[in-house]
Amino acid sequence: MDRFITVAIHTYDRAVALRALLESQGVEVEFRNVNIEHPVVSSGVRVRIRENDLPLALRIIENREIFAEQPAVGRITDASRPLLVPVDFSDYSLEAAKVAFAIADKHRTGIILLHTYIDPYVAGNMQLTDSLTYEIADADSRKVIEETSRTRMGHFAARLRDMIKQGEIPPVKFETCVVEGVPEDAVNDFTKSNNPFLIVMGTRCSERKEREMIGSVTAEVLDKCRFSVLAIPESDKTSLLGSLSKILFFSNVDQEDILAMDTLHRLFPDANAKVTIANIPGKKRPFERRPDEALARLKAYCETNFRNFVFDTAALSLDKAVEDFNALEEGSGFDLIVVPNKKKNVFSRLFNPSLAHKILFAADIPMLVIPV
């Protein structure tokens, strides 16, 4: 297994580039058939590696755009829209990234990893009367924070490339971006220019989320963002990497539910799952169709148009939605929760949080929030 074998035959320049790439990933390389006096005119240079490094070398060669030096954002030029994965370099960010790579591989698209940092001078010291000027020490501190963030992003990206090398995650093309700003605002601003088809974010477990409710970036993104968001809790063991079997779909029993169901179907087109449509009835209005009749019509429409899903229905009460959800979840063991989320103004978000916001803090189940 220690003998050297030929893995590629190139011109000298291309052979040198390939050797640099393989050696940067820990693969020992040697050349054969090189003109010693004039190496640049050598043709048919044999790039040789140890036989036991062959599986690793092939993964690197076949996906060299992932392991080569990454240029600035804008490199992903696929016709399909990318996935956006905001990260803070925590373990639950890594779990979210694993799910994102699996989804991106199925949809044959790329990934953008986004990290934001906050200037402590702006975040903690600025008052309404402050002038926008920095002392030298403040500028140096800001530069250190930026450089630290970029270094940590580099380490996070290297960790993902190692996982690709070992075959732990699919070889998906990705790029990194580090920006300054409040995280939830930076995510929303970034989506406006990059138009992702899905945002994948990690969240803490329910007990820690309840203690940190005010500062939850994921909750703020859910309330503000007009793109679909998939929230992956840290306690989840990436069940979405396998096949979905049970999905809970919260319904308003209106036309937007059909749009949300279509989004779910396009995101997981190969899933053969049982979908429980759960309706939370609102206040009774004159001439409104009975909730059970409307739910039956919605179920019949979905059975006709989304044939890979098997549909069931359930009813939750308006005043005890979270309690009813917990009881329903205990008996079913859902793999995914889907919530169509209507946009609210700032006062509604403060004094009447959305169902998506409430469920996020109550559940340790992956949740797909679809804006409608």
Side-chain angles (χ1 to χ4, degrees):
M1 294 298 290
D2 286 337
R3 69 189 182 95
F4 278 79
I5 60 174
T6 299
V7 73
I9 300 175
H10 286 310
T11 62
Y12 181 77
D13 290 340
R14 294 192 64 184
V16 169
L18 180 58
R19 179 175 64 183
L21 176 62
L22 291 174
E23 289 182 343
S24 70
Q25 303 300 322
V27 178
E28 184 179 352
V29 178
E30 69 173 21
F31 284 171
R32 287 287 177 87
N33 195 30
V34 179
N35 186 324
I36 302 300
E37 295 183 359
H38 303 286
V40 293
V41 300
S42 300
S43 60
V45 176
R46 295 179 178 271
V47 181
R48 295 164 58 84
I49 62 170
R50 294 188 183 276
E51 187 174 1
N52 56 356
D53 286 335
L54 181 60
L56 173 58
L58 289 178
R59 276 197 290 271
I60 296 171
I61 294 171
E62 291 172 358
N63 305 281
R64 65 179 67 195
E65 73 280 359
I66 298 174
F67 294 98
E69 286 296 320
Q70 300 295 305
V73 165
R75 176 173 169 270
I76 291 179
T77 57
D78 302 51
S80 56
R81 295 152 59 194
L83 271 75
L84 177 63
V85 185
V87 298
D88 61 3
F89 316 125
S90 61
D91 289 339
Y92 59 88
S93 282
L94 183 63
E95 294 303 315
K98 290 179 182 178
V99 174
F101 271 75
I103 296 174
D105 182 57
K106 290 183 179 180
H107 289 269
R108 300 185 181 278
T109 187
I111 289 177
I112 300 177
L113 303 174
L114 174 67
H115 176 70
T116 64
Y117 64 92
I118 301 177
D119 186 339
Y121 178 84
V122 175
N125 298 329
M126 183 171 291
Q127 305 297 325
L128 292 178
T129 56
D130 284 343
S131 60
L132 296 178
T133 57
Y134 286 115
E135 300 292 341
I136 297 299
D138 296 324
D140 290 343
S141 176
R142 180 182 181 184
K143 184 177 180 181
V144 169
I145 293 173
E146 180 180 1
E147 291 177 349
T148 300
S149 297
R150 295 188 183 281
T151 299
R152 295 183 68 190
M153 177 62 90
H155 293 160
F156 190 81
R159 187 175 180 182
L160 292 175
R161 293 190 187 98
D162 286 340
M163 295 173 70
I164 293 174
K165 282 166 45 178
Q166 303 305 321
E168 297 177 23
I169 58 177
V172 172
K173 182 167 59 175
F174 70 94
E175 58 193 35
T176 62
C177 182
V178 177
V179 298
E180 179 185 353
V182 179
E184 55 267 28
D185 293 336
V187 170
N188 288 321
D189 291 341
F190 200 83
T191 60
K192 295 175 183 177
S193 57
N194 289 272
N195 194 32
F197 90 91
L198 179 67
I199 302 171
V200 182
M201 301 184 67
T203 65
R204 299 189 184 278
C205 65
S206 57
E207 293 181 358
R208 296 176 68 180
K209 283 186 289 190
E210 288 176 358
R211 295 197 299 267
E212 302 169 9
M213 181 177 291
I214 300 300
S216 172
V217 174
T218 305
E220 292 297 324
V221 172
L222 292 181
D223 283 341
K224 294 180 180 180
C225 189
R226 303 312 296 160
F227 292 85
S228 297
V229 179
L230 179 60
I232 307 296
E234 63 178 334
S235 58
D236 180 70
K237 300 305 180 182
T238 60
S239 60
L240 292 183
L241 295 180
S243 59
L244 288 173
S245 60
K246 295 182 181 180
I247 300 173
L248 177 62
F249 184 97
F250 282 97
S251 169
N252 297 308
V253 195
D254 56 23
Q255 189 173 3
E256 284 80 4
D257 289 343
I258 297 175
L259 300 177
M261 188 67 72
D262 181 68
T263 299
L264 171 65
H265 181 264
R266 285 187 286 107
L267 187 58
F268 299 103
D270 300 327
N272 295 309
K274 177 182 178 181
V275 179
T276 299
I277 304 176
N279 173 236
I280 302 179
K283 295 180 180 180
K284 184 67 176 178
R285 294 191 296 268
F287 310 110
E288 187 176 40
R289 182 185 296 150
R290 291 174 51 192
D292 53 348
E293 178 185 348
L295 194 59
R297 288 177 177 269
L298 176 62
K299 177 174 177 287
Y301 177 89
C302 291
E303 288 174 338
T304 302
N305 292 274
F306 307 105
R307 296 183 180 276
N308 59 315
F309 293 152
V310 175
F311 292 92
D312 192 9
T313 59
L316 284 71
S317 59
L318 179 61
D319 54 343
K320 295 182 179 180
V322 175
E323 291 83 350
D324 290 350
F325 158 75
N326 289 331
L328 183 63
E329 195 279 324
E330 286 179 4
S332 299
F334 296 108
D335 301 317
L336 178 68
I337 302 169
V338 180
V339 183
N341 196 34
K342 292 186 177 181
K343 187 175 183 180
K344 295 186 176 183
N345 61 37
V346 64
F347 292 104
S348 296
R349 292 199 302 268
L350 286 173
F351 300 108
N352 186 23
S354 67
L355 176 63
H357 201 160
K358 294 176 182 178
I359 296 298
L360 173 67
F361 289 104
D364 283 330
I365 304 171
M367 181 172 65
L368 175 64
V369 178
I370 303 172
V372 294

